[in-house]
Every structure is written in C-alpha cells, then in structure tokens.
Amino acid sequence: MSRIALFPGSFDPFTKGHEDIVRRGLHLFDEVIIGIGRNANKQRYFTLEQMTAWIEGTFRDEPAVRVVSYDGLTANVARQLGARFLLRGLRNTTDFEYENGISQVNRYVYEEVETVFLITSPHLAPISSSIIRDLHRYGQPVDAFLPYKLEK
C-alpha cells in the first residue's frame, strides 16, 4: 500500500517554507498531494488558478507531487484521495497549539488518518503567507520567500 500524504492549506501564497515541507515529506511518503482548500468565507489574494499553476511549476520535475483544490473537511478529502497521512509544518509553539486541535478533529472525522508534523527548517521559520501578502500588497519584493517568480 502506498504511503500517500495530503499537505493541506490555503497556500495564499505557497512559500519556500511550504516547498521545504513537501520536499522533506517526499523522504517519508510515496506521494505528497498538495491540497489547496477553498474557503467561501475568505477572499484569496492570489487566485486559486494562479497558485495552482505556480505550485505545479515548482514541482514539475517531481512526479510524486500533485496539486488538487478542494472544498469541505480536510479529513474527508484525505479519505477520498486515499491519503492516510496529513502532512503539516510547524514554525513555533503557536503553530503547534493550533495544529494539535485540528489534528484531533481530523482523527475524529477519519479515524485512520495520522497527522505528521515536520519542524520548519530554521532559516525558513520567519516566513508566513500573511507577511508575504502584506509585503507584496505594499510593493515590497517577495521573490526571496517564494519558490517561483510572481508575475509583475
């Protein structure tokens, strides 16, 4: 049986920190599915189509990575995709507190799913999607934080 992990998130934008978690996850799993969750209550900064294309481009030479978008509960999507693992990155203890609760609920919804946490590489820990959005919104360069180039 293949070890398939779903790496869920809004990825608005997908950062070098996210890329690092996926690439390190490939040492643990046969396939990593990057799941871009749609949230009807949130307005995306970058469109879902843009982000999907940028992420797919980042992993174009990695056949064990694919990108999907989804609505609904992450645990149910993992079950539908045949993923027995949820892959998550932790930058700090605040992330752990937040992710721990979510992992418990995911296990309640899909009893066979295991959440695997990887600690963010130290040089990438300060990077967050919200900081990158703010920098970009106010005209600051952000390419150093992203594994792709933004269209001007």
Side-chain angles (χ1 to χ4, degrees):
M1 175 179 255
S2 291
R3 293 174 318 228
I4 302 171
L6 174 63
F7 182 41
S10 59
F11 304 120
D12 192 22
F14 186 89
T15 69
K16 284 185 177 179
H18 296 131
E19 177 192 24
D20 180 60
I21 296 298
V22 171
R23 292 198 186 279
R24 290 169 49 210
L26 288 171
H27 295 287
L28 302 171
F29 305 107
D30 301 312
E31 180 181 11
V32 175
I33 302 169
I34 301 167
I36 306 173
R38 288 190 211 112
N39 185 335
N41 298 324
K42 283 187 176 178
Q43 178 68 32
R44 292 190 61 87
Y45 184 74
F46 296 102
T47 69
L48 186 61
E49 295 75 22
Q50 285 174 313
M51 197 50 51
T52 299
W54 289 331
I55 297 170
E56 286 175 343
T58 298
F59 295 102
R60 69 184 154 276
D61 296 326
E62 186 49 71
V65 174
R66 67 180 159 125
V67 182
V68 300
S69 59
Y70 69 93
D71 292 304
L73 295 174
T74 297
N76 286 336
V77 172
R79 182 188 346 242
Q80 292 164 359
L81 293 170
R84 296 279 311 275
F85 302 93
L86 296 175
L87 178 60
R88 300 299 294 151
L90 299 175
R91 293 170 299 167
N92 51 45
T93 57
T94 303
D95 282 356
F96 173 77
E97 292 294 327
Y98 176 76
E99 293 291 344
N100 183 47
I102 291 173
S103 71
Q104 299 299 325
V105 171
N106 284 329
R107 185 71 185 246
Y108 172 79
V109 173
Y110 177 23
E111 200 171 283
E112 294 82 25
V113 77
E114 292 289 347
T115 301
V116 176
F117 296 110
L118 295 182
I119 304 300
T120 303
S121 296
H123 69 287
L124 299 171
I127 300 172
S128 76
S129 293
S130 58
I131 290 172
I132 292 170
R133 283 193 306 270
D134 285 344
L135 288 171
H136 188 264
R137 184 178 290 119
Y138 293 104
Q140 297 300 305
V142 295
D143 286 344
F145 307 114
L146 305 173
Y148 47 85
K149 297 280 188 214
L150 291 181
E151 298 162 356
K152 303 295 181 199

